[in-house]
Amino acid sequence: MRVVVKVGSSTLTHPSTGLLNIRRMESLCKVLSDIKNEGHELILVSSGAIAMGMGKLGLKEKPQSLPGKQAVASIGQCELMYTYDKLFSQYNHTIGQVLLTNEDIEHRKENCINTIEKLLTFSCIPVINENDTISTSEIEIGDNDTLGAVVAKSIHANLYIILSDIDGLYTDDPTKNKDAQLISIVKTIDESILKLAGDSSSKVGTGGMITKLQAAQIVTKANCDMIIANGKNPEILYDIMENQFVGTLFQKEG
């Protein structure tokens, strides 16, 4: 299969410090390498540049100004790619960085897709992030949930996986309602499903459940399934690839 995996800042970092969660990132790269060894094509959409920049600089809170966010992202992106390169190299896999802006998606989409396709031809793992250093709003595309969905749609992926800090879509906010139930399968994204979304609760992330549901709308209309699952244990990806029911599956239309 051709699979796009998106990991959020809250998955890659420790919530208390914003610093890199080394054990989790090592596990993520190991599992992804193993899945690729099975013959699947992988595209990794990774948040974390701003979060890692904050950790590198010892910042407790995300800068409020756009230049501040962009400077922190510039520092963090170097750290992020260095770490991915080092970890994937241990399993003899090569990565290629692809930084995108909203303008790239809208006006140079063919060039972007051609680059990703060529990286896959080279048996590389494209690592995609929004180009926070030059984007002008959130930071412009909105979040990497949407970016990953656009990429998955554009390259005709079979499956889009979002690893987050929540198990999936619930009937209510599970942090406020202990009786909230996990929804295993969503066949249609209607108003009743959209009403279940809330805002982002992570101080290092930008996306909330609403952006994930919007992402699901994009990919399911493009003949691609989507799964939201908890990224605290990256080995959950094995269960997903073996068609076990984990997280919330948004079934493709048709």
Side-chain angles (χ1 to χ4, degrees):
M1 289 198 300
R2 176 170 286 189
V3 183
V4 177
V5 178
K6 182 264 178 178
V7 290
S9 301
S10 56
T11 299
L12 297 174
T13 59
H14 290 286
S16 58
T17 64
L19 294 174
L20 177 66
N21 188 322
I22 297 172
R23 179 169 60 178
R24 188 174 296 163
M25 198 165 183
E26 287 180 342
S27 177
L28 173 69
C29 293
K30 181 179 180 179
V31 172
L32 289 176
S33 294
D34 200 22
I35 290 173
K36 188 176 187 328
N37 286 348
E38 291 179 345
H40 300 290
E41 290 182 318
L42 283 178
I43 299 92
L44 177 61
V45 177
S46 177
S47 302
I50 292 179
M52 291 190 75
M54 288 168 58
K56 186 92 171 177
L57 294 172
L59 302 179
K60 299 297 184 182
E61 299 290 338
K62 185 186 299 184
Q64 297 302 307
S65 70
L66 183 60
K69 292 178 183 177
Q70 291 173 324
V72 171
S74 175
I75 295 166
Q77 186 65 29
C78 295
E79 187 83 356
L80 188 65
M81 292 306 297
Y82 168 78
T83 305
Y84 276 132
D85 185 53
K86 182 178 180 181
L87 293 174
F88 277 116
S89 292
Q90 294 178 1
Y91 304 102
N92 297 315
H93 289 301
T94 302
I95 63 170
Q97 175 178 259
V98 181
L99 296 177
L100 299 175
T101 64
N102 192 46
E103 187 175 278
D104 294 327
I105 295 294
E106 289 185 354
H107 304 297
R108 290 183 287 274
K109 185 175 181 179
E110 185 176 353
N111 291 346
C112 301
I113 300 311
N114 288 342
T115 298
I116 295 170
E117 291 284 1
K118 184 57 68 174
L119 285 169
L120 293 173
T121 300
F122 288 152
S123 196
C124 296
I125 299 174
V127 179
I128 301 172
N129 195 359
E130 183 171 1
N131 195 343
D132 293 337
T133 302
I134 63 172
S135 295
T136 55
S137 62
E138 190 43 290
I139 270 195
E140 172 152 316
I141 296 172
D143 60 273
N144 278 343
D145 295 333
T146 305
L147 175 60
V150 172
V151 169
K153 174 184 176 181
S154 300
I155 64 170
H156 308 292
N158 305 107
L159 178 62
Y160 177 37
I161 303 169
I162 296 179
L163 294 182
S164 186
D165 55 0
I166 192 169
D167 293 337
L169 179 65
Y170 282 82
T171 54
D172 197 2
D173 186 344
T175 63
K176 299 177 181 178
N177 181 359
K178 62 181 178 60
D179 295 323
Q181 299 294 312
L182 179 67
I183 301 173
S184 297
I185 300 178
V186 174
K187 296 182 179 180
T188 304
I189 305 171
D190 54 22
E191 284 301 316
S192 65
I193 294 295
L194 292 174
K195 287 180 180 178
L196 299 176
D199 295 328
S200 175
S201 61
S202 170
K203 67 180 180 181
V204 295
T206 60
M209 186 55 69
I210 186 61
T211 64
K212 292 171 177 55
L213 295 183
Q214 290 168 346
Q217 288 179 311
I218 293 171
V219 298
T220 54
K221 291 177 182 178
N223 199 36
C224 177
D225 290 326
M226 188 184 105
I227 291 175
I228 301 173
N230 199 313
K232 65 182 179 182
N233 180 9
E235 291 196 1
I236 198 172
L237 289 168
Y238 286 130
D239 296 334
I240 292 172
M241 298 303 292
E242 293 170 0
N243 295 319
Q244 296 184 33
F245 281 101
V246 295
T248 299
L249 167 65
F250 295 84
Q251 290 185 329
K252 59 189 175 186
E253 295 183 3

